Each structure stands twice: as C-alpha cells, then as structure tokens.
Amino acid sequence: LSRTRGLFSATRLRAARLLAGFQTASEACGYFGLNRSTYGGHEHGLKGELPAAAAAGYAVAFGTTPDWLRLRGPATGIPE
C-alpha cells in the first residue's frame, strides 16, 4: 500500500510542480534550494509514501496542501 500511495503522491507532486510554473524538477529544486536527489525520488515515487515533513515543504513551495499531496482528506488543494 505504501508503494501505491507513493506512486499516486508522486503524480500529484509532479502536477503541483507543473501547475506552479516549473517545467522541470531541476528548475524547481534550484529555485527553492531543494535536494535534487531527494526531490527526484519523491517525484518518481521511488521513496515510498511521501513523508509528512516533505509534503509540508513541497505544499508551501507549490501552493497546495500537504493533505492533497499525500492523498489525505478531501480532493482539494489543487494549485491554481
């Protein structure tokens, strides 16, 4: 279940990045000072379920909510 949840969170993380105007993960990482390896693992679902602390940071960066990124609660929080 963690792997499946991680893949869906990865899809949402990528969508949030794109909707926030960052065409590449490298562009977002450079702008926000994110670790490229860690972020890449999260965006590709390689690290399992997205940790709460990481989701909180990404949510602030991309204008969404940690719950939306982690598939928790109602399907709200899509970046504008």
Side-chain angles (χ1 to χ4, degrees):
L1 182 62
S2 178
R3 174 76 173 137
T4 301
R5 193 177 277 278
L7 291 173
F8 285 114
S9 291
T11 300
R12 285 193 174 189
L13 181 58
R14 182 173 190 273
R17 172 183 53 79
L18 290 168
L19 290 168
F22 297 95
Q23 295 303 305
T24 67
S26 290
E27 182 184 358
C29 289
Y31 186 84
F32 292 112
L34 303 171
N35 180 290
R36 291 172 198 248
S37 177
T38 300
Y39 180 83
H42 289 152
E43 189 169 296
H44 293 288
L46 303 176
K47 297 187 175 272
E49 188 172 352
L50 188 61
Y58 298 147
V60 169
F62 299 138
T64 187
T65 65
D67 285 345
W68 186 79
L69 290 173
R70 297 185 76 219
L71 310 172
R72 306 260 197 274
T76 60
I78 299 171
E80 296 180 16

Short mmCIF file of all heavy atoms in Angstrom, two decimals:
data_model
loop_
_atom_site.label_atom_id
_atom_site.label_comp_id
_atom_site.label_asym_id
_atom_site.label_seq_id
_atom_site.Cartn_x
_atom_site.Cartn_y
_atom_site.Cartn_z
N LEU A 1 0.82 -1.20 0.00
CA LEU A 1 0.00 0.00 0.00
C LEU A 1 0.86 1.26 0.00
O LEU A 1 0.55 2.22 -0.70
CB LEU A 1 -0.96 0.00 1.19
CG LEU A 1 -1.91 1.19 1.29
CD1 LEU A 1 -2.83 1.25 0.09
CD2 LEU A 1 -2.72 1.10 2.54
N SER A 2 1.98 1.24 0.73
CA SER A 2 2.85 2.40 0.79
C SER A 2 3.41 2.72 -0.59
O SER A 2 3.50 3.88 -0.98
CB SER A 2 3.98 2.17 1.78
OG SER A 2 4.84 3.28 1.80
N ARG A 3 3.80 1.70 -1.35
CA ARG A 3 4.35 1.91 -2.69
C ARG A 3 3.30 2.50 -3.61
O ARG A 3 3.57 3.44 -4.36
CB ARG A 3 4.88 0.57 -3.24
CG ARG A 3 5.35 0.63 -4.66
CD ARG A 3 6.71 1.30 -4.76
NE ARG A 3 7.18 1.18 -6.12
CZ ARG A 3 7.76 2.15 -6.78
NH1 ARG A 3 7.98 3.31 -6.20
NH2 ARG A 3 8.15 1.99 -8.01
N THR A 4 2.07 1.98 -3.56
CA THR A 4 1.00 2.51 -4.39
C THR A 4 0.69 3.94 -4.02
O THR A 4 0.57 4.81 -4.89
CB THR A 4 -0.27 1.65 -4.24
OG1 THR A 4 0.05 0.31 -4.61
CG2 THR A 4 -1.39 2.16 -5.10
N ARG A 5 0.58 4.21 -2.75
CA ARG A 5 0.32 5.58 -2.28
C ARG A 5 1.46 6.49 -2.72
O ARG A 5 1.24 7.63 -3.12
CB ARG A 5 0.16 5.60 -0.76
CG ARG A 5 -0.43 6.88 -0.22
CD ARG A 5 -0.63 6.80 1.28
NE ARG A 5 -1.86 6.17 1.67
CZ ARG A 5 -3.04 6.77 1.70
NH1 ARG A 5 -3.14 8.03 1.33
NH2 ARG A 5 -4.11 6.15 2.11
N GLY A 6 2.69 5.99 -2.67
CA GLY A 6 3.84 6.77 -3.10
C GLY A 6 3.78 7.13 -4.57
O GLY A 6 4.12 8.25 -4.96
N LEU A 7 3.31 6.21 -5.40
CA LEU A 7 3.20 6.50 -6.84
C LEU A 7 2.14 7.55 -7.11
O LEU A 7 2.33 8.44 -7.95
CB LEU A 7 2.90 5.21 -7.61
CG LEU A 7 4.04 4.21 -7.67
CD1 LEU A 7 3.58 2.91 -8.32
CD2 LEU A 7 5.25 4.77 -8.40
N PHE A 8 1.01 7.48 -6.42
CA PHE A 8 -0.04 8.49 -6.61
C PHE A 8 0.41 9.84 -6.06
O PHE A 8 0.15 10.87 -6.68
CB PHE A 8 -1.36 8.05 -5.97
CG PHE A 8 -2.07 6.99 -6.76
CD1 PHE A 8 -2.24 5.72 -6.25
CD2 PHE A 8 -2.55 7.27 -8.03
CE1 PHE A 8 -2.89 4.74 -6.99
CE2 PHE A 8 -3.20 6.29 -8.78
CZ PHE A 8 -3.37 5.03 -8.25
N SER A 9 1.10 9.84 -4.93
CA SER A 9 1.64 11.10 -4.39
C SER A 9 2.65 11.69 -5.36
O SER A 9 2.69 12.91 -5.55
CB SER A 9 2.31 10.86 -3.03
OG SER A 9 1.36 10.55 -2.05
N ALA A 10 3.44 10.84 -5.99
CA ALA A 10 4.43 11.31 -6.96
C ALA A 10 3.75 12.01 -8.13
O ALA A 10 4.20 13.06 -8.60
CB ALA A 10 5.27 10.14 -7.46
N THR A 11 2.65 11.45 -8.59
CA THR A 11 1.90 12.06 -9.69
C THR A 11 1.36 13.42 -9.27
O THR A 11 1.43 14.40 -10.03
CB THR A 11 0.74 11.14 -10.12
OG1 THR A 11 1.30 9.90 -10.55
CG2 THR A 11 -0.07 11.75 -11.24
N ARG A 12 0.85 13.51 -8.07
CA ARG A 12 0.34 14.79 -7.57
C ARG A 12 1.46 15.80 -7.37
O ARG A 12 1.29 16.98 -7.66
CB ARG A 12 -0.44 14.60 -6.28
CG ARG A 12 -1.80 13.98 -6.54
CD ARG A 12 -2.67 14.08 -5.33
NE ARG A 12 -4.01 13.61 -5.65
CZ ARG A 12 -5.03 13.73 -4.84
NH1 ARG A 12 -4.89 14.31 -3.67
NH2 ARG A 12 -6.21 13.27 -5.19
N LEU A 13 2.60 15.33 -6.89
CA LEU A 13 3.73 16.23 -6.68
C LEU A 13 4.19 16.82 -8.02
O LEU A 13 4.43 18.02 -8.13
CB LEU A 13 4.88 15.48 -6.00
CG LEU A 13 6.13 16.29 -5.68
CD1 LEU A 13 5.82 17.49 -4.80
CD2 LEU A 13 7.17 15.39 -5.01
N ARG A 14 4.28 15.99 -9.03
CA ARG A 14 4.67 16.46 -10.36
C ARG A 14 3.63 17.46 -10.89
O ARG A 14 3.98 18.51 -11.44
CB ARG A 14 4.81 15.29 -11.33
CG ARG A 14 5.26 15.73 -12.71
CD ARG A 14 5.55 14.51 -13.61
NE ARG A 14 6.18 14.91 -14.83
CZ ARG A 14 5.54 15.29 -15.93
NH1 ARG A 14 4.22 15.32 -15.95
NH2 ARG A 14 6.20 15.66 -17.01
N ALA A 15 2.36 17.14 -10.73
CA ALA A 15 1.31 18.04 -11.19
C ALA A 15 1.39 19.38 -10.47
O ALA A 15 1.25 20.44 -11.09
CB ALA A 15 -0.07 17.41 -10.97
N ALA A 16 1.62 19.36 -9.16
CA ALA A 16 1.73 20.60 -8.39
C ALA A 16 2.90 21.44 -8.89
O ALA A 16 2.78 22.66 -9.04
CB ALA A 16 1.89 20.29 -6.90
N ARG A 17 4.02 20.78 -9.17
CA ARG A 17 5.19 21.50 -9.69
C ARG A 17 4.87 22.15 -11.02
O ARG A 17 5.16 23.33 -11.24
CB ARG A 17 6.38 20.55 -9.84
CG ARG A 17 7.56 21.22 -10.56
CD ARG A 17 8.72 20.30 -10.79
NE ARG A 17 8.48 19.07 -11.46
CZ ARG A 17 8.34 18.91 -12.79
NH1 ARG A 17 8.35 19.94 -13.60
NH2 ARG A 17 8.17 17.70 -13.29
N LEU A 18 4.27 21.40 -11.93
CA LEU A 18 3.95 21.93 -13.25
C LEU A 18 2.95 23.08 -13.15
O LEU A 18 3.12 24.12 -13.81
CB LEU A 18 3.41 20.82 -14.15
CG LEU A 18 4.43 19.78 -14.58
CD1 LEU A 18 3.73 18.58 -15.23
CD2 LEU A 18 5.46 20.38 -15.51
N LEU A 19 1.92 22.91 -12.33
CA LEU A 19 0.92 23.97 -12.17
C LEU A 19 1.48 25.22 -11.50
O LEU A 19 0.96 26.31 -11.69
CB LEU A 19 -0.29 23.43 -11.40
CG LEU A 19 -1.15 22.44 -12.18
CD1 LEU A 19 -2.14 21.74 -11.25
CD2 LEU A 19 -1.87 23.12 -13.33
N ALA A 20 2.55 25.04 -10.73
CA ALA A 20 3.21 26.19 -10.10
C ALA A 20 4.14 26.91 -11.08
O ALA A 20 4.74 27.93 -10.73
CB ALA A 20 3.98 25.74 -8.86
N GLY A 21 4.27 26.35 -12.29
CA GLY A 21 5.05 27.03 -13.33
C GLY A 21 6.47 26.55 -13.52
O GLY A 21 7.24 27.17 -14.26
N PHE A 22 6.82 25.44 -12.90
CA PHE A 22 8.16 24.89 -13.05
C PHE A 22 8.12 23.73 -14.04
O PHE A 22 7.53 22.68 -13.76
CB PHE A 22 8.71 24.43 -11.70
CG PHE A 22 8.87 25.55 -10.72
CD1 PHE A 22 7.88 25.83 -9.80
CD2 PHE A 22 10.00 26.36 -10.75
CE1 PHE A 22 8.01 26.89 -8.91
CE2 PHE A 22 10.15 27.42 -9.87
CZ PHE A 22 9.15 27.68 -8.94
N GLN A 23 8.75 23.92 -15.19
CA GLN A 23 8.71 22.90 -16.24
C GLN A 23 9.53 21.67 -15.91
O GLN A 23 9.23 20.58 -16.37
CB GLN A 23 9.17 23.50 -17.57
CG GLN A 23 8.23 24.58 -18.08
CD GLN A 23 6.80 24.07 -18.24
OE1 GLN A 23 6.56 23.08 -18.92
NE2 GLN A 23 5.87 24.74 -17.60
N THR A 24 10.59 21.84 -15.13
CA THR A 24 11.43 20.70 -14.78
C THR A 24 11.62 20.64 -13.27
O THR A 24 11.53 21.66 -12.56
CB THR A 24 12.82 20.79 -15.43
OG1 THR A 24 13.53 21.91 -14.88
CG2 THR A 24 12.72 20.93 -16.95
N ALA A 25 11.94 19.44 -12.79
CA ALA A 25 12.24 19.27 -11.37
C ALA A 25 13.50 20.05 -11.02
O ALA A 25 13.58 20.66 -9.94
CB ALA A 25 12.40 17.79 -11.05
N SER A 26 14.48 20.05 -11.91
CA SER A 26 15.73 20.78 -11.66
C SER A 26 15.47 22.27 -11.47
O SER A 26 16.08 22.91 -10.61
CB SER A 26 16.72 20.58 -12.81
OG SER A 26 17.18 19.26 -12.81
N GLU A 27 14.58 22.82 -12.26
CA GLU A 27 14.23 24.23 -12.14
C GLU A 27 13.63 24.52 -10.76
O GLU A 27 14.01 25.49 -10.09
CB GLU A 27 13.23 24.59 -13.24
CG GLU A 27 12.82 26.03 -13.27
CD GLU A 27 11.75 26.33 -14.32
OE1 GLU A 27 11.33 25.42 -15.07
OE2 GLU A 27 11.32 27.49 -14.36
N ALA A 28 12.70 23.68 -10.32
CA ALA A 28 12.08 23.88 -9.01
C ALA A 28 13.09 23.70 -7.89
O ALA A 28 13.12 24.49 -6.94
CB ALA A 28 10.92 22.90 -8.83
N CYS A 29 13.93 22.69 -8.00
CA CYS A 29 14.93 22.44 -6.96
C CYS A 29 15.90 23.62 -6.85
O CYS A 29 16.25 24.03 -5.75
CB CYS A 29 15.69 21.16 -7.26
SG CYS A 29 14.70 19.68 -7.01
N GLY A 30 16.33 24.14 -8.00
CA GLY A 30 17.23 25.29 -7.98
C GLY A 30 16.59 26.51 -7.36
O GLY A 30 17.20 27.23 -6.57
N TYR A 31 15.34 26.75 -7.69
CA TYR A 31 14.62 27.93 -7.19
C TYR A 31 14.41 27.87 -5.68
O TYR A 31 14.60 28.85 -4.97
CB TYR A 31 13.28 28.06 -7.91
CG TYR A 31 12.52 29.31 -7.57
CD1 TYR A 31 12.80 30.51 -8.23
CD2 TYR A 31 11.54 29.31 -6.60
CE1 TYR A 31 12.11 31.67 -7.92
CE2 TYR A 31 10.84 30.46 -6.28
CZ TYR A 31 11.13 31.64 -6.95
OH TYR A 31 10.45 32.79 -6.64
N PHE A 32 14.01 26.68 -5.19
CA PHE A 32 13.68 26.55 -3.77
C PHE A 32 14.83 25.99 -2.92
O PHE A 32 14.69 25.86 -1.71
CB PHE A 32 12.45 25.64 -3.59
CG PHE A 32 11.19 26.26 -4.11
CD1 PHE A 32 10.56 25.74 -5.22
CD2 PHE A 32 10.63 27.37 -3.50
CE1 PHE A 32 9.39 26.30 -5.72
CE2 PHE A 32 9.46 27.95 -3.98
CZ PHE A 32 8.85 27.41 -5.10
N GLY A 33 15.94 25.63 -3.56
CA GLY A 33 17.07 25.07 -2.81
C GLY A 33 16.81 23.66 -2.31
O GLY A 33 17.32 23.27 -1.26
N LEU A 34 16.02 22.89 -3.07
CA LEU A 34 15.70 21.52 -2.68
C LEU A 34 16.81 20.57 -3.12
O LEU A 34 17.46 20.79 -4.14
CB LEU A 34 14.39 21.08 -3.35
CG LEU A 34 13.15 21.93 -3.07
CD1 LEU A 34 12.00 21.50 -3.96
CD2 LEU A 34 12.77 21.84 -1.61
N ASN A 35 17.01 19.51 -2.36
CA ASN A 35 17.96 18.47 -2.75
C ASN A 35 17.40 17.73 -3.97
O ASN A 35 16.32 17.15 -3.90
CB ASN A 35 18.17 17.51 -1.58
CG ASN A 35 19.15 16.42 -1.92
OD1 ASN A 35 18.86 15.53 -2.71
ND2 ASN A 35 20.30 16.48 -1.30
N ARG A 36 18.12 17.78 -5.07
CA ARG A 36 17.62 17.21 -6.33
C ARG A 36 17.40 15.71 -6.26
O ARG A 36 16.44 15.19 -6.81
CB ARG A 36 18.57 17.56 -7.48
CG ARG A 36 18.56 19.02 -7.82
CD ARG A 36 19.66 19.36 -8.82
NE ARG A 36 19.89 20.80 -8.81
CZ ARG A 36 19.60 21.59 -9.82
NH1 ARG A 36 19.09 21.10 -10.92
NH2 ARG A 36 19.84 22.88 -9.73
N SER A 37 18.28 15.02 -5.58
CA SER A 37 18.15 13.57 -5.48
C SER A 37 16.91 13.18 -4.68
O SER A 37 16.13 12.30 -5.08
CB SER A 37 19.40 12.97 -4.84
OG SER A 37 19.27 11.59 -4.68
N THR A 38 16.73 13.82 -3.54
CA THR A 38 15.58 13.53 -2.69
C THR A 38 14.28 13.90 -3.40
O THR A 38 13.34 13.11 -3.44
CB THR A 38 15.68 14.28 -1.35
OG1 THR A 38 16.88 13.87 -0.69
CG2 THR A 38 14.49 13.99 -0.46
N TYR A 39 14.25 15.11 -3.96
CA TYR A 39 13.04 15.54 -4.66
C TYR A 39 12.73 14.60 -5.83
O TYR A 39 11.59 14.19 -6.03
CB TYR A 39 13.15 16.99 -5.16
CG TYR A 39 11.89 17.40 -5.88
CD1 TYR A 39 10.79 17.83 -5.16
CD2 TYR A 39 11.77 17.24 -7.26
CE1 TYR A 39 9.60 18.15 -5.80
CE2 TYR A 39 10.59 17.56 -7.91
CZ TYR A 39 9.51 18.01 -7.18
OH TYR A 39 8.33 18.30 -7.81
N GLY A 40 13.74 14.25 -6.60
CA GLY A 40 13.54 13.35 -7.73
C GLY A 40 12.98 12.01 -7.29
O GLY A 40 12.09 11.45 -7.94
N GLY A 41 13.48 11.49 -6.18
CA GLY A 41 12.95 10.23 -5.65
C GLY A 41 11.50 10.35 -5.26
O GLY A 41 10.70 9.44 -5.50
N HIS A 42 11.13 11.49 -4.68
CA HIS A 42 9.73 11.71 -4.30
C HIS A 42 8.85 11.86 -5.55
O HIS A 42 7.77 11.29 -5.62
CB HIS A 42 9.59 12.95 -3.41
CG HIS A 42 10.15 12.75 -2.05
ND1 HIS A 42 10.64 13.79 -1.28
CD2 HIS A 42 10.29 11.65 -1.29
CE1 HIS A 42 11.06 13.33 -0.12
NE2 HIS A 42 10.86 12.02 -0.10
N GLU A 43 9.34 12.63 -6.53
CA GLU A 43 8.51 12.87 -7.71
C GLU A 43 8.34 11.62 -8.57
O GLU A 43 7.37 11.49 -9.29
CB GLU A 43 9.09 14.01 -8.55
CG GLU A 43 8.15 14.42 -9.66
CD GLU A 43 8.51 15.68 -10.37
OE1 GLU A 43 8.51 16.76 -9.73
OE2 GLU A 43 8.79 15.60 -11.58
N HIS A 44 9.28 10.70 -8.48
CA HIS A 44 9.18 9.46 -9.25
C HIS A 44 8.63 8.30 -8.43
O HIS A 44 8.52 7.19 -8.92
CB HIS A 44 10.54 9.09 -9.84
CG HIS A 44 10.99 10.07 -10.88
ND1 HIS A 44 10.42 10.15 -12.12
CD2 HIS A 44 11.93 11.03 -10.84
CE1 HIS A 44 11.00 11.12 -12.81
NE2 HIS A 44 11.91 11.67 -12.05
N GLY A 45 8.28 8.57 -7.17
CA GLY A 45 7.68 7.54 -6.33
C GLY A 45 8.66 6.47 -5.89
O GLY A 45 8.25 5.37 -5.50
N LEU A 46 9.95 6.77 -5.91
CA LEU A 46 10.97 5.78 -5.58
C LEU A 46 11.21 5.61 -4.09
O LEU A 46 11.85 4.67 -3.66
CB LEU A 46 12.30 6.15 -6.26
CG LEU A 46 12.26 6.29 -7.77
CD1 LEU A 46 13.61 6.76 -8.30
CD2 LEU A 46 11.85 4.98 -8.41
N LYS A 47 10.69 6.52 -3.30
CA LYS A 47 10.94 6.51 -1.86
C LYS A 47 9.72 6.10 -1.05
O LYS A 47 9.65 6.34 0.13
CB LYS A 47 11.47 7.87 -1.42
CG LYS A 47 12.81 8.21 -2.07
CD LYS A 47 13.39 9.47 -1.48
CE LYS A 47 14.77 9.73 -2.03
NZ LYS A 47 15.81 9.08 -1.26
N GLY A 48 8.74 5.50 -1.71
CA GLY A 48 7.53 5.09 -1.00
C GLY A 48 6.63 6.27 -0.71
O GLY A 48 6.65 7.27 -1.43
N GLU A 49 5.87 6.16 0.34
CA GLU A 49 4.92 7.22 0.69
C GLU A 49 5.66 8.52 1.02
O GLU A 49 6.69 8.52 1.68
CB GLU A 49 4.08 6.78 1.89
CG GLU A 49 2.95 7.72 2.19
CD GLU A 49 2.01 7.19 3.26
OE1 GLU A 49 2.13 6.02 3.66
OE2 GLU A 49 1.14 7.96 3.68
N LEU A 50 5.12 9.62 0.56
CA LEU A 50 5.71 10.93 0.78
C LEU A 50 5.65 11.28 2.27
O LEU A 50 4.57 11.32 2.86
CB LEU A 50 4.94 11.97 -0.04
CG LEU A 50 5.48 13.38 -0.11
CD1 LEU A 50 6.87 13.41 -0.73
CD2 LEU A 50 4.53 14.26 -0.92
N PRO A 51 6.81 11.52 2.91
CA PRO A 51 6.81 11.86 4.34
C PRO A 51 6.06 13.18 4.61
O PRO A 51 6.06 14.09 3.78
CB PRO A 51 8.29 12.01 4.67
CG PRO A 51 9.02 11.29 3.60
CD PRO A 51 8.17 11.43 2.37
N ALA A 52 5.45 13.26 5.77
CA ALA A 52 4.66 14.44 6.13
C ALA A 52 5.49 15.72 6.08
O ALA A 52 5.02 16.75 5.57
CB ALA A 52 4.06 14.25 7.52
N ALA A 53 6.72 15.69 6.58
CA ALA A 53 7.55 16.89 6.58
C ALA A 53 7.88 17.34 5.17
O ALA A 53 7.86 18.53 4.86
CB ALA A 53 8.83 16.64 7.38
N ALA A 54 8.18 16.39 4.30
CA ALA A 54 8.48 16.73 2.90
C ALA A 54 7.24 17.29 2.23
O ALA A 54 7.30 18.30 1.50
CB ALA A 54 8.98 15.50 2.16
N ALA A 55 6.09 16.67 2.46
CA ALA A 55 4.84 17.15 1.86
C ALA A 55 4.53 18.57 2.30
O ALA A 55 4.08 19.39 1.51
CB ALA A 55 3.69 16.21 2.21
N ALA A 56 4.80 18.88 3.56
CA ALA A 56 4.56 20.23 4.07
C ALA A 56 5.42 21.25 3.34
O ALA A 56 4.94 22.32 2.94
CB ALA A 56 4.80 20.29 5.57
N GLY A 57 6.68 20.94 3.15
CA GLY A 57 7.58 21.85 2.44
C GLY A 57 7.21 22.02 0.98
O GLY A 57 7.18 23.14 0.46
N TYR A 58 6.90 20.92 0.31
CA TYR A 58 6.51 20.98 -1.10
C TYR A 58 5.19 21.74 -1.26
O TYR A 58 5.00 22.48 -2.22
CB TYR A 58 6.39 19.59 -1.70
CG TYR A 58 7.66 18.78 -1.72
CD1 TYR A 58 7.62 17.40 -1.58
CD2 TYR A 58 8.91 19.37 -1.87
CE1 TYR A 58 8.78 16.63 -1.60
CE2 TYR A 58 10.08 18.62 -1.89
CZ TYR A 58 10.01 17.24 -1.75
OH TYR A 58 11.15 16.48 -1.78
N ALA A 59 4.28 21.56 -0.32
CA ALA A 59 2.98 22.24 -0.39
C ALA A 59 3.16 23.75 -0.33
O ALA A 59 2.53 24.48 -1.10
CB ALA A 59 2.07 21.75 0.74
N VAL A 60 4.01 24.21 0.55
CA VAL A 60 4.28 25.64 0.64
C VAL A 60 4.91 26.13 -0.67
O VAL A 60 4.50 27.15 -1.23
CB VAL A 60 5.20 25.97 1.85
CG1 VAL A 60 5.69 27.40 1.79
CG2 VAL A 60 4.47 25.69 3.16
N ALA A 61 5.88 25.39 -1.16
CA ALA A 61 6.59 25.79 -2.39
C ALA A 61 5.65 25.86 -3.59
O ALA A 61 5.74 26.78 -4.40
CB ALA A 61 7.73 24.82 -2.66
N PHE A 62 4.75 24.90 -3.70
CA PHE A 62 3.94 24.78 -4.90
C PHE A 62 2.49 25.28 -4.73
O PHE A 62 1.68 25.16 -5.64
CB PHE A 62 3.93 23.34 -5.40
CG PHE A 62 5.31 22.84 -5.76
CD1 PHE A 62 5.71 21.57 -5.40
CD2 PHE A 62 6.21 23.64 -6.46
CE1 PHE A 62 6.97 21.09 -5.75
CE2 PHE A 62 7.47 23.18 -6.80
CZ PHE A 62 7.86 21.90 -6.44
N GLY A 63 2.18 25.84 -3.58
CA GLY A 63 0.87 26.45 -3.38
C GLY A 63 -0.28 25.46 -3.29
O GLY A 63 -1.35 25.69 -3.83
N THR A 64 -0.06 24.38 -2.58
CA THR A 64 -1.12 23.39 -2.38
C THR A 64 -1.14 23.00 -0.91
O THR A 64 -0.68 23.76 -0.06
CB THR A 64 -0.89 22.17 -3.31
OG1 THR A 64 -2.01 21.30 -3.21
CG2 THR A 64 0.39 21.42 -3.02
N THR A 65 -1.70 21.85 -0.57
CA THR A 65 -1.73 21.40 0.82
C THR A 65 -1.01 20.07 0.95
O THR A 65 -1.00 19.26 0.00
CB THR A 65 -3.18 21.20 1.32
OG1 THR A 65 -3.78 20.13 0.59
CG2 THR A 65 -4.00 22.49 1.14
N PRO A 66 -0.42 19.82 2.12
CA PRO A 66 0.21 18.52 2.33
C PRO A 66 -0.78 17.37 2.18
O PRO A 66 -0.44 16.31 1.64
CB PRO A 66 0.74 18.60 3.77
CG PRO A 66 0.82 20.05 4.08
CD PRO A 66 -0.25 20.71 3.26
N ASP A 67 -2.02 17.58 2.65
CA ASP A 67 -3.03 16.52 2.54
C ASP A 67 -3.32 16.16 1.09
O ASP A 67 -3.49 14.99 0.76
CB ASP A 67 -4.33 16.93 3.24
CG ASP A 67 -4.22 16.86 4.76
OD1 ASP A 67 -3.26 16.24 5.26
OD2 ASP A 67 -5.09 17.42 5.43
N TRP A 68 -3.37 17.16 0.22
CA TRP A 68 -3.62 16.88 -1.19
C TRP A 68 -2.46 16.07 -1.78
O TRP A 68 -2.68 15.09 -2.48
CB TRP A 68 -3.82 18.18 -1.98
CG TRP A 68 -4.22 17.90 -3.40
CD1 TRP A 68 -5.46 17.57 -3.84
CD2 TRP A 68 -3.38 17.90 -4.55
NE1 TRP A 68 -5.44 17.36 -5.21
CE2 TRP A 68 -4.17 17.56 -5.66
CE3 TRP A 68 -2.03 18.16 -4.75
CZ2 TRP A 68 -3.66 17.47 -6.96
CZ3 TRP A 68 -1.51 18.08 -6.04
CH2 TRP A 68 -2.34 17.73 -7.12
N LEU A 69 -1.24 16.46 -1.45
CA LEU A 69 -0.08 15.73 -1.96
C LEU A 69 -0.02 14.30 -1.43
O LEU A 69 0.38 13.39 -2.16
CB LEU A 69 1.21 16.46 -1.59
CG LEU A 69 1.48 17.77 -2.31
CD1 LEU A 69 2.69 18.47 -1.72
CD2 LEU A 69 1.65 17.55 -3.80
N ARG A 70 -0.43 14.09 -0.19
CA ARG A 70 -0.33 12.77 0.44
C ARG A 70 -1.62 11.94 0.32
O ARG A 70 -1.74 10.90 0.93
CB ARG A 70 0.04 12.92 1.91
CG ARG A 70 1.43 13.56 2.09
CD ARG A 70 1.86 13.59 3.52
NE ARG A 70 2.30 12.25 3.90
CZ ARG A 70 2.05 11.69 5.07
NH1 ARG A 70 1.37 12.34 5.98
NH2 ARG A 70 2.49 10.49 5.34
N LEU A 71 -2.57 12.43 -0.46
CA LEU A 71 -3.83 11.70 -0.69
C LEU A 71 -4.63 11.53 0.59
O LEU A 71 -5.26 10.50 0.83
CB LEU A 71 -3.56 10.32 -1.31
CG LEU A 71 -2.65 10.28 -2.52
CD1 LEU A 71 -2.32 8.84 -2.89
CD2 LEU A 71 -3.26 11.01 -3.69
N ARG A 72 -4.63 12.55 1.42
CA ARG A 72 -5.39 12.51 2.67
C ARG A 72 -6.54 13.50 2.58
O ARG A 72 -6.41 14.58 2.04
CB ARG A 72 -4.49 12.93 3.84
CG ARG A 72 -3.20 12.14 3.96
CD ARG A 72 -3.35 11.08 5.01
NE ARG A 72 -2.10 10.52 5.48
CZ ARG A 72 -1.46 9.51 4.91
NH1 ARG A 72 -1.90 9.02 3.80
NH2 ARG A 72 -0.37 9.02 5.43
N GLY A 73 -7.65 13.17 3.16
CA GLY A 73 -8.78 14.09 3.22
C GLY A 73 -9.41 14.32 1.86
O GLY A 73 -9.19 13.58 0.91
N PRO A 74 -10.21 15.39 1.76
CA PRO A 74 -10.90 15.67 0.51
C PRO A 74 -9.95 16.06 -0.61
O PRO A 74 -8.84 16.51 -0.36
CB PRO A 74 -11.83 16.83 0.87
CG PRO A 74 -11.20 17.47 2.05
CD PRO A 74 -10.48 16.36 2.79
N ALA A 75 -10.39 15.89 -1.83
CA ALA A 75 -9.56 16.18 -3.01
C ALA A 75 -9.56 17.67 -3.29
O ALA A 75 -10.05 18.15 -4.31
CB ALA A 75 -10.04 15.39 -4.20
N THR A 76 -9.07 18.45 -2.33
CA THR A 76 -8.94 19.90 -2.50
C THR A 76 -7.47 20.23 -2.41
O THR A 76 -6.65 19.40 -2.04
CB THR A 76 -9.72 20.66 -1.42
OG1 THR A 76 -9.18 20.29 -0.14
CG2 THR A 76 -11.19 20.37 -1.47
N GLY A 77 -7.15 21.46 -2.73
CA GLY A 77 -5.76 21.88 -2.62
C GLY A 77 -5.01 21.86 -3.92
O GLY A 77 -3.80 21.97 -3.95
N ILE A 78 -5.74 21.71 -5.03
CA ILE A 78 -5.08 21.74 -6.34
C ILE A 78 -4.53 23.15 -6.54
O ILE A 78 -5.24 24.13 -6.36
CB ILE A 78 -6.06 21.37 -7.46
CG1 ILE A 78 -6.58 19.97 -7.23
CG2 ILE A 78 -5.41 21.51 -8.83
CD1 ILE A 78 -7.71 19.58 -8.16
N PRO A 79 -3.24 23.26 -6.89
CA PRO A 79 -2.66 24.58 -7.10
C PRO A 79 -3.41 25.35 -8.17
O PRO A 79 -3.89 24.77 -9.15
CB PRO A 79 -1.23 24.29 -7.54
CG PRO A 79 -0.98 22.89 -7.15
CD PRO A 79 -2.32 22.20 -7.15
N GLU A 80 -3.52 26.65 -8.00
CA GLU A 80 -4.19 27.50 -9.00
C GLU A 80 -3.26 27.86 -10.12
O GLU A 80 -2.10 27.98 -9.99
CB GLU A 80 -4.73 28.75 -8.33
CG GLU A 80 -5.79 28.42 -7.30
CD GLU A 80 -6.33 29.66 -6.63
OE1 GLU A 80 -6.12 30.78 -7.14
OE2 GLU A 80 -6.97 29.50 -5.60
#
